[in-house]
PDB file of all heavy atoms in Angstrom:
ATOM      1  N   HIS A 237      79.651 115.349 100.322  1.00 95.00           N
ATOM      2  CA  HIS A 237      80.778 116.238 100.029  1.00 95.00           C
ATOM      3  C   HIS A 237      82.024 115.492  99.644  1.00 95.00           C
ATOM      4  O   HIS A 237      82.810 115.995  98.857  1.00 95.00           O
ATOM      5  CB  HIS A 237      80.932 117.058 101.207  1.00 95.00           C
ATOM      6  CG  HIS A 237      79.904 118.160 101.360  1.00 95.00           C
ATOM      7  ND1 HIS A 237      79.750 119.129 100.402  1.00 95.00           N
ATOM      8  CD2 HIS A 237      78.930 118.343 102.354  1.00 95.00           C
ATOM      9  CE1 HIS A 237      78.592 119.859 100.784  1.00 95.00           C
ATOM     10  NE2 HIS A 237      78.224 119.422 101.988  1.00 95.00           N
ATOM     11  N   ALA A 238      82.260 114.292 100.232  1.00 96.00           N
ATOM     12  CA  ALA A 238      83.458 113.450 100.013  1.00 96.00           C
ATOM     13  C   ALA A 238      83.487 113.102  98.536  1.00 96.00           C
ATOM     14  O   ALA A 238      84.461 113.289  97.818  1.00 96.00           O
ATOM     15  CB  ALA A 238      83.461 112.347 100.945  1.00 96.00           C
ATOM     16  N   ILE A 239      82.312 112.552  98.081  1.00 97.00           N
ATOM     17  CA  ILE A 239      82.150 112.089  96.697  1.00 97.00           C
ATOM     18  C   ILE A 239      82.178 113.158  95.739  1.00 97.00           C
ATOM     19  O   ILE A 239      82.943 113.080  94.696  1.00 97.00           O
ATOM     20  CB  ILE A 239      80.936 111.238  96.549  1.00 97.00           C
ATOM     21  CG1 ILE A 239      81.120 109.920  97.302  1.00 97.00           C
ATOM     22  CG2 ILE A 239      80.650 110.947  95.103  1.00 97.00           C
ATOM     23  CD1 ILE A 239      79.810 109.076  97.425  1.00 97.00           C
ATOM     24  N   THR A 240      81.532 114.363  95.950  1.00 97.00           N
ATOM     25  CA  THR A 240      81.568 115.471  95.008  1.00 97.00           C
ATOM     26  C   THR A 240      83.000 116.110  94.979  1.00 97.00           C
ATOM     27  O   THR A 240      83.337 116.496  93.862  1.00 97.00           O
ATOM     28  CB  THR A 240      80.544 116.577  95.529  1.00 97.00           C
ATOM     29  OG1 THR A 240      79.279 115.948  95.585  1.00 97.00           O
ATOM     30  CG2 THR A 240      80.350 117.562  94.395  1.00 97.00           C
ATOM     31  N   SER A 241      83.697 116.124  96.080  1.00 97.00           N
ATOM     32  CA  SER A 241      84.988 116.656  95.971  1.00 97.00           C
ATOM     33  C   SER A 241      85.964 115.784  95.156  1.00 97.00           C
ATOM     34  O   SER A 241      86.764 116.384  94.385  1.00 97.00           O
ATOM     35  CB  SER A 241      85.540 116.747  97.455  1.00 97.00           C
ATOM     36  OG  SER A 241      86.820 117.339  97.436  1.00 97.00           O
ATOM     37  N   VAL A 242      85.982 114.468  95.382  1.00 98.00           N
ATOM     38  CA  VAL A 242      86.931 113.755  94.501  1.00 98.00           C
ATOM     39  C   VAL A 242      86.431 113.789  93.054  1.00 98.00           C
ATOM     40  O   VAL A 242      87.340 113.726  92.178  1.00 98.00           O
ATOM     41  CB  VAL A 242      86.962 112.244  94.997  1.00 98.00           C
ATOM     42  CG1 VAL A 242      87.644 112.206  96.349  1.00 98.00           C
ATOM     43  CG2 VAL A 242      85.611 111.572  95.035  1.00 98.00           C
ATOM     44  N   ARG A 243      85.128 113.939  92.681  1.00 98.00           N
ATOM     45  CA  ARG A 243      84.668 114.065  91.318  1.00 98.00           C
ATOM     46  C   ARG A 243      85.259 115.329  90.742  1.00 98.00           C
ATOM     47  O   ARG A 243      85.655 115.492  89.546  1.00 98.00           O
ATOM     48  CB  ARG A 243      83.213 114.090  91.322  1.00 98.00           C
ATOM     49  CG  ARG A 243      82.555 112.667  91.496  1.00 98.00           C
ATOM     50  CD  ARG A 243      81.098 112.790  91.572  1.00 98.00           C
ATOM     51  NE  ARG A 243      80.421 111.345  91.537  1.00 98.00           N
ATOM     52  CZ  ARG A 243      79.123 111.216  91.745  1.00 98.00           C
ATOM     53  NH1 ARG A 243      78.237 112.212  91.782  1.00 98.00           N
ATOM     54  NH2 ARG A 243      78.750 109.962  91.880  1.00 98.00           N
ATOM     55  N   ALA A 244      85.338 116.458  91.459  1.00 98.00           N
ATOM     56  CA  ALA A 244      85.827 117.696  91.100  1.00 98.00           C
ATOM     57  C   ALA A 244      87.350 117.627  90.652  1.00 98.00           C
ATOM     58  O   ALA A 244      87.746 118.055  89.663  1.00 98.00           O
ATOM     59  CB  ALA A 244      85.661 118.789  92.038  1.00 98.00           C
ATOM     60  N   VAL A 245      88.086 117.003  91.501  1.00 98.00           N
ATOM     61  CA  VAL A 245      89.593 116.817  91.166  1.00 98.00           C
ATOM     62  C   VAL A 245      89.679 115.861  90.045  1.00 98.00           C
ATOM     63  O   VAL A 245      90.587 116.217  89.096  1.00 98.00           O
ATOM     64  CB  VAL A 245      90.319 116.382  92.530  1.00 98.00           C
ATOM     65  CG1 VAL A 245      91.715 116.178  92.155  1.00 98.00           C
ATOM     66  CG2 VAL A 245      90.104 117.399  93.630  1.00 98.00           C
ATOM     67  N   GLU A 246      88.926 114.820  89.972  1.00 98.00           N
ATOM     68  CA  GLU A 246      89.104 113.889  88.799  1.00 98.00           C
ATOM     69  C   GLU A 246      88.803 114.472  87.584  1.00 98.00           C
ATOM     70  O   GLU A 246      89.288 114.344  86.515  1.00 98.00           O
ATOM     71  CB  GLU A 246      88.109 112.668  89.111  1.00 98.00           C
ATOM     72  CG  GLU A 246      88.553 111.796  90.214  1.00 98.00           C
ATOM     73  CD  GLU A 246      87.569 110.878  90.831  1.00 98.00           C
ATOM     74  OE1 GLU A 246      86.382 110.984  90.450  1.00 98.00           O
ATOM     75  OE2 GLU A 246      87.866 110.034  91.692  1.00 98.00           O
ATOM     76  N   ASN A 247      87.647 115.498  87.562  1.00 97.00           N
ATOM     77  CA  ASN A 247      87.334 116.187  86.358  1.00 97.00           C
ATOM     78  C   ASN A 247      88.341 117.108  85.981  1.00 97.00           C
ATOM     79  O   ASN A 247      88.752 117.257  84.732  1.00 97.00           O
ATOM     80  CB  ASN A 247      85.983 116.931  86.711  1.00 97.00           C
ATOM     81  CG  ASN A 247      85.490 117.831  85.558  1.00 97.00           C
ATOM     82  OD1 ASN A 247      85.841 119.048  85.571  1.00 97.00           O
ATOM     83  ND2 ASN A 247      85.064 117.280  84.562  1.00 97.00           N
ATOM     84  N   ALA A 248      89.077 117.714  86.966  1.00 97.00           N
ATOM     85  CA  ALA A 248      90.242 118.596  86.545  1.00 97.00           C
ATOM     86  C   ALA A 248      91.301 117.933  85.867  1.00 97.00           C
ATOM     87  O   ALA A 248      91.954 118.405  84.959  1.00 97.00           O
ATOM     88  CB  ALA A 248      90.717 119.380  87.806  1.00 97.00           C
ATOM     89  N   LEU A 249      91.545 116.709  86.343  1.00 97.00           N
ATOM     90  CA  LEU A 249      92.565 115.842  85.730  1.00 97.00           C
ATOM     91  C   LEU A 249      92.243 115.003  84.609  1.00 97.00           C
ATOM     92  O   LEU A 249      93.132 114.379  84.042  1.00 97.00           O
ATOM     93  CB  LEU A 249      93.298 114.883  86.910  1.00 97.00           C
ATOM     94  CG  LEU A 249      93.740 115.590  88.156  1.00 97.00           C
ATOM     95  CD1 LEU A 249      94.155 114.587  89.125  1.00 97.00           C
ATOM     96  CD2 LEU A 249      94.803 116.640  87.758  1.00 97.00           C
ATOM     97  N   GLY A 250      90.956 115.046  84.241  1.00 96.00           N
ATOM     98  CA  GLY A 250      90.440 114.216  83.089  1.00 96.00           C
ATOM     99  C   GLY A 250      90.536 112.823  83.332  1.00 96.00           C
ATOM    100  O   GLY A 250      90.925 111.978  82.417  1.00 96.00           O
ATOM    101  N   MET A 251      90.337 112.400  84.669  1.00 96.00           N
ATOM    102  CA  MET A 251      90.570 110.905  84.979  1.00 96.00           C
ATOM    103  C   MET A 251      89.469 110.082  84.665  1.00 96.00           C
ATOM    104  O   MET A 251      88.326 110.537  84.708  1.00 96.00           O
ATOM    105  CB  MET A 251      90.848 110.860  86.560  1.00 96.00           C
ATOM    106  CG  MET A 251      92.194 111.485  86.892  1.00 96.00           C
ATOM    107  SD  MET A 251      92.451 110.965  88.685  1.00 96.00           S
ATOM    108  CE  MET A 251      92.640 109.259  88.628  1.00 96.00           C
ATOM    109  N   GLU A 252      89.725 108.741  84.508  1.00 97.00           N
ATOM    110  CA  GLU A 252      88.620 107.741  84.558  1.00 97.00           C
ATOM    111  C   GLU A 252      88.755 107.119  85.816  1.00 97.00           C
ATOM    112  O   GLU A 252      89.741 107.004  86.605  1.00 97.00           O
ATOM    113  CB  GLU A 252      88.925 106.675  83.380  1.00 97.00           C
ATOM    114  CG  GLU A 252      88.760 107.217  82.051  1.00 97.00           C
ATOM    115  CD  GLU A 252      88.657 106.186  80.934  1.00 97.00           C
ATOM    116  OE1 GLU A 252      88.277 105.015  81.293  1.00 97.00           O
ATOM    117  OE2 GLU A 252      88.987 106.534  79.800  1.00 97.00           O
ATOM    118  N   VAL A 253      87.551 106.493  86.280  1.00 98.00           N
ATOM    119  CA  VAL A 253      87.365 105.868  87.656  1.00 98.00           C
ATOM    120  C   VAL A 253      86.884 104.455  87.431  1.00 98.00           C
ATOM    121  O   VAL A 253      85.975 104.358  86.624  1.00 98.00           O
ATOM    122  CB  VAL A 253      86.312 106.737  88.515  1.00 98.00           C
ATOM    123  CG1 VAL A 253      86.138 105.905  89.739  1.00 98.00           C
ATOM    124  CG2 VAL A 253      86.837 108.102  88.619  1.00 98.00           C
ATOM    125  N   PRO A 254      87.470 103.427  87.912  1.00 98.00           N
ATOM    126  CA  PRO A 254      87.113 102.151  87.734  1.00 98.00           C
ATOM    127  C   PRO A 254      85.565 101.893  87.943  1.00 98.00           C
ATOM    128  O   PRO A 254      85.022 102.567  88.907  1.00 98.00           O
ATOM    129  CB  PRO A 254      87.894 101.338  88.658  1.00 98.00           C
ATOM    130  CG  PRO A 254      89.183 102.084  88.866  1.00 98.00           C
ATOM    131  CD  PRO A 254      88.690 103.494  88.818  1.00 98.00           C
ATOM    132  N   VAL A 255      84.891 101.069  87.278  1.00 98.00           N
ATOM    133  CA  VAL A 255      83.436 100.893  87.312  1.00 98.00           C
ATOM    134  C   VAL A 255      83.120 100.311  88.715  1.00 98.00           C
ATOM    135  O   VAL A 255      82.116 100.769  89.400  1.00 98.00           O
ATOM    136  CB  VAL A 255      82.922  99.848  86.366  1.00 98.00           C
ATOM    137  CG1 VAL A 255      81.433  99.508  86.570  1.00 98.00           C
ATOM    138  CG2 VAL A 255      83.096 100.495  84.911  1.00 98.00           C
ATOM    139  N   ASN A 256      83.915  99.450  89.352  1.00 98.00           N
ATOM    140  CA  ASN A 256      83.491  99.015  90.710  1.00 98.00           C
ATOM    141  C   ASN A 256      83.599 100.214  91.621  1.00 98.00           C
ATOM    142  O   ASN A 256      82.792 100.211  92.613  1.00 98.00           O
ATOM    143  CB  ASN A 256      84.702  98.016  91.186  1.00 98.00           C
ATOM    144  CG  ASN A 256      84.543  96.632  90.518  1.00 98.00           C
ATOM    145  OD1 ASN A 256      83.366  96.238  90.305  1.00 98.00           O
ATOM    146  ND2 ASN A 256      85.637  95.900  90.238  1.00 98.00           N
ATOM    147  N   ALA A 257      84.580 101.083  91.552  1.00 98.00           N
ATOM    148  CA  ALA A 257      84.613 102.210  92.459  1.00 98.00           C
ATOM    149  C   ALA A 257      83.353 103.133  92.213  1.00 98.00           C
ATOM    150  O   ALA A 257      82.816 103.594  93.204  1.00 98.00           O
ATOM    151  CB  ALA A 257      85.893 103.183  92.083  1.00 98.00           C
ATOM    152  N   GLN A 258      82.956 103.263  91.018  1.00 98.00           N
ATOM    153  CA  GLN A 258      81.635 104.051  90.696  1.00 98.00           C
ATOM    154  C   GLN A 258      80.466 103.493  91.414  1.00 98.00           C
ATOM    155  O   GLN A 258      79.640 104.149  92.119  1.00 98.00           O
ATOM    156  CB  GLN A 258      81.405 104.099  89.166  1.00 98.00           C
ATOM    157  CG  GLN A 258      82.403 104.848  88.445  1.00 98.00           C
ATOM    158  CD  GLN A 258      82.428 106.320  88.522  1.00 98.00           C
ATOM    159  OE1 GLN A 258      82.115 106.972  89.529  1.00 98.00           O
ATOM    160  NE2 GLN A 258      82.568 107.025  87.299  1.00 98.00           N
ATOM    161  N   LEU A 259      80.305 102.051  91.372  1.00 98.00           N
ATOM    162  CA  LEU A 259      79.210 101.343  91.905  1.00 98.00           C
ATOM    163  C   LEU A 259      79.324 101.358  93.406  1.00 98.00           C
ATOM    164  O   LEU A 259      78.275 101.406  94.145  1.00 98.00           O
ATOM    165  CB  LEU A 259      79.166  99.899  91.364  1.00 98.00           C
ATOM    166  CG  LEU A 259      78.953  99.830  89.889  1.00 98.00           C
ATOM    167  CD1 LEU A 259      79.087  98.409  89.440  1.00 98.00           C
ATOM    168  CD2 LEU A 259      77.692 100.340  89.453  1.00 98.00           C
ATOM    169  N   ILE A 260      80.471 101.212  94.018  1.00 98.00           N
ATOM    170  CA  ILE A 260      80.600 101.323  95.479  1.00 98.00           C
ATOM    171  C   ILE A 260      80.238 102.732  96.002  1.00 98.00           C
ATOM    172  O   ILE A 260      79.470 102.868  96.931  1.00 98.00           O
ATOM    173  CB  ILE A 260      82.105 100.915  95.897  1.00 98.00           C
ATOM    174  CG1 ILE A 260      82.314  99.443  95.633  1.00 98.00           C
ATOM    175  CG2 ILE A 260      82.293 101.388  97.307  1.00 98.00           C
ATOM    176  CD1 ILE A 260      83.815  99.115  95.907  1.00 98.00           C
ATOM    177  N   ARG A 261      80.638 103.734  95.285  1.00 98.00           N
ATOM    178  CA  ARG A 261      80.358 105.034  95.653  1.00 98.00           C
ATOM    179  C   ARG A 261      78.810 105.293  95.494  1.00 98.00           C
ATOM    180  O   ARG A 261      78.093 105.892  96.325  1.00 98.00           O
ATOM    181  CB  ARG A 261      80.942 106.114  94.753  1.00 98.00           C
ATOM    182  CG  ARG A 261      82.443 106.266  94.912  1.00 98.00           C
ATOM    183  CD  ARG A 261      83.017 107.276  93.891  1.00 98.00           C
ATOM    184  NE  ARG A 261      84.410 107.448  93.982  1.00 98.00           N
ATOM    185  CZ  ARG A 261      85.078 108.249  93.087  1.00 98.00           C
ATOM    186  NH1 ARG A 261      84.427 109.031  92.277  1.00 98.00           N
ATOM    187  NH2 ARG A 261      86.453 108.371  93.238  1.00 98.00           N
TER     188      ARG A 261
END
């Protein structure tokens, strides 16, 4: 739920996420 929630907000803002962050998640 933590990861899905931040993805929802990032999608709303059209954000990019650093690759390291993606891999850690």
Side-chain angles (χ1 to χ4, degrees):
H237 289 295
I239 291 172
T240 308
S241 181
V242 295
R243 285 177 177 173
V245 179
E246 289 161 356
N247 175 257
L249 301 179
M251 290 188 67
E252 292 192 27
V253 177
V255 172
N256 285 327
Q258 299 280 41
L259 295 172
I260 289 171
R261 291 178 184 180

